[in-house]
Amino acid sequence: MTETEVDRDKLEAFLKIIGGQVAAGFNCALSSLGDQLGLYKALKAIGPATSEELADHTGLHERWLREWLRHQACVRQVDYVDGRFGLTPEAGIVLAEEGHPFFFASGFGAVTATYPAIPKLPNAFRTGLGLSYDDHGPACACGIERMSGYMQREELVPKLLPELPGIVDRLEDGATVADVGCGSGTALITMAKAFPNSSFIGYDTSRHAIERATANVASAGLANVRVVDPTDEPMPTQPTFDLVSTFDVVHDTTHPAELLHAIRQALKDDGAWLCADIRSFPTFEQNLAEHPMAALLYGFSVTVCMSASLSTPDGAGLGTLGFNEEVARRMSADAGFSHFETLEYGNAINSFYDIRP
């Protein structure tokens, strides 16, 4: 086949693929809107409904709801039968049941929060310099908070921490804990509530994250937690902490090797570093062939994670899938850690490591 010859069937098939991807872009925006307005929760609550019935239930404008429902039916997120729109039990969990581990409507908002960054990315491609988390504004941090919140609120204390030998006993007796890259403080607050005899400090370089975490700590009424910017109050250079945690932080940071060294310095010789990071394979070829969420994660990488890691001229640029287990083992050893264990606890997104001096 010459360069000018085109297979019409393949051309039409590829156009269909691209049309689906463009539709997915609209869907993120419209589904995020539905999540914000509580439309999925309303449909779950009232069952299959007409647009008029949904308007009566929500107080929203019927014509706008009708068009939104039609769109949602076309993308197969909402069922349409005999003039009524509804959610299957499975769709109700994923789209409306925020306390369920399979809830993922928050993902739509996390994607749309990156849209304002798109006009800035051509310059990043030209200069190599990415955007910090604060460059995205507060919406990006809020979207990520909702996506990661279930594990940190519901499973961190009862399921994950018990996999770290000796740590729960120390937390109950009174330990000193740091959550590095604490974001909105969800994990920090969950642990502080569960272990009132221990003291907790959260570190984050994002102004938006610090403001939100500080407000969340105050709202929780906790006296054993504080949140700081390491630029103003660096991590201690002497062994201080019984436990250090990082949740999806290392791949984002501009200087991961320096971060690991700082954690090693601040950790007691009998302490533990609980590291959670994105589950991935050592090579792109494996991610391409075997990782079911590779497209989603590479998308986040270009718009958020790798961008943040390249937000200084000498940034490492690991990327969302760049701190896989093989890299984590090597970098931990280089930083002075001698024990590395992959925990049995895990989920579709993350791997969890027990790393010790």
Side-chain angles (χ1 to χ4, degrees):
M1 179 178 289
T2 66
E3 289 183 358
T4 58
E5 292 178 327
V6 173
D7 185 309
R8 180 59 182 256
D9 291 339
K10 290 182 179 180
L11 177 63
E12 291 181 352
F14 187 72
L15 179 61
K16 185 177 180 180
I17 291 172
I18 297 304
Q21 296 302 317
V22 173
F26 280 114
N27 186 48
C28 280
L30 294 178
S31 296
S32 175
L33 179 64
D35 180 44
Q36 290 178 50
L37 292 171
L39 299 182
Y40 298 118
K41 292 178 180 177
L43 284 173
K44 182 177 172 65
I46 66 176
T50 65
S51 56
E52 290 84 0
E53 290 167 344
L54 185 60
D56 290 341
H57 181 79
T58 61
L60 299 174
H61 195 284
E62 184 276 332
R63 183 64 186 93
W64 287 88
L65 289 174
R66 193 192 329 156
E67 204 75 352
W68 181 85
L69 286 166
R70 288 173 174 176
H71 168 268
Q72 292 288 289
C74 288
V75 297
R76 303 295 190 267
Q77 289 177 190
V78 168
D79 276 0
Y80 179 73
V81 179
D82 296 331
R84 307 178 85 77
F85 300 88
L87 298 177
T88 65
E90 296 77 17
I93 289 172
V94 175
L95 296 173
E97 198 168 327
E98 196 151 352
H100 197 282
F102 280 72
F103 174 76
F104 202 54
S106 53
F108 297 120
V111 171
T112 58
T114 70
Y115 286 179
I118 301 301
K120 303 174 184 178
L121 289 180
N123 188 60
F125 273 73
R126 295 185 185 102
T127 66
L129 193 64
L131 307 175
S132 71
Y133 268 88
D134 279 352
D135 289 336
H136 290 280
C140 183
C142 293
I144 292 171
E145 175 187 350
R146 287 188 73 207
M147 287 182 65
S148 62
Y150 177 84
M151 185 283 294
Q152 295 175 11
R153 288 191 309 269
E154 305 296 334
E155 298 193 344
L156 173 58
V157 170
K159 294 185 179 181
L160 180 53
L161 290 178
E163 289 208 21
L164 305 175
I167 291 300
V168 171
D169 288 342
R170 291 171 72 169
L171 289 167
E172 289 174 343
D173 292 340
T176 304
V177 180
D179 186 28
V180 179
C182 67
S184 63
T186 304
L188 197 66
I189 291 168
T190 300
M191 291 189 288
K193 286 180 177 178
F195 303 106
N197 293 331
S198 293
S199 60
F200 298 83
I201 182 169
Y203 294 94
D204 209 293
T205 56
S206 164
R207 174 176 56 84
H208 296 305
I210 290 172
E211 290 174 356
R212 187 163 179 82
T214 301
N216 288 340
V217 169
S219 178
L222 296 168
N224 61 335
V225 184
R226 61 192 189 95
V227 181
V228 301
D229 185 334
T231 305
D232 302 323
E233 183 180 332
M235 291 179 66
T237 57
Q238 299 298 319
T240 302
F241 299 117
D242 299 280
L243 174 66
V244 174
S245 58
T246 58
F247 295 98
D248 292 336
V249 170
V250 177
H251 72 266
D252 286 326
T253 190
T254 55
H255 299 87
E258 287 84 344
L259 174 62
L260 269 61
H261 179 70
I263 290 172
R264 176 63 188 92
Q265 279 189 314
L267 190 65
K268 294 178 181 178
D269 288 341
D270 60 349
W273 170 26
L274 171 59
C275 175
D277 219 285
I278 302 299
R279 182 188 297 273
S280 64
F281 294 100
T283 69
F284 168 67
E285 288 76 13
Q286 287 175 288
N287 285 323
L288 176 64
E290 302 178 47
H291 200 309
M293 305 185 79
L296 182 152
L297 294 170
Y298 280 118
F300 270 117
S301 191
V302 173
T303 53
V304 180
C305 302
M306 186 193 72
S307 185
S309 187
L310 289 173
S311 60
T312 62
D314 55 349
L318 281 179
T320 305
L321 292 94
F323 194 65
N324 57 69
E325 182 177 336
E326 184 177 294
V327 174
R329 286 182 179 275
R330 182 180 71 248
M331 292 186 67
S332 298
D334 290 345
F337 292 93
S338 62
H339 173 89
F340 188 108
E341 180 183 355
T342 301
L343 300 177
E344 290 187 8
Y345 176 93
N347 55 40
I349 297 291
N350 287 115
S351 294
F352 296 82
Y353 311 119
D354 178 1
I355 305 173
R356 306 200 184 204

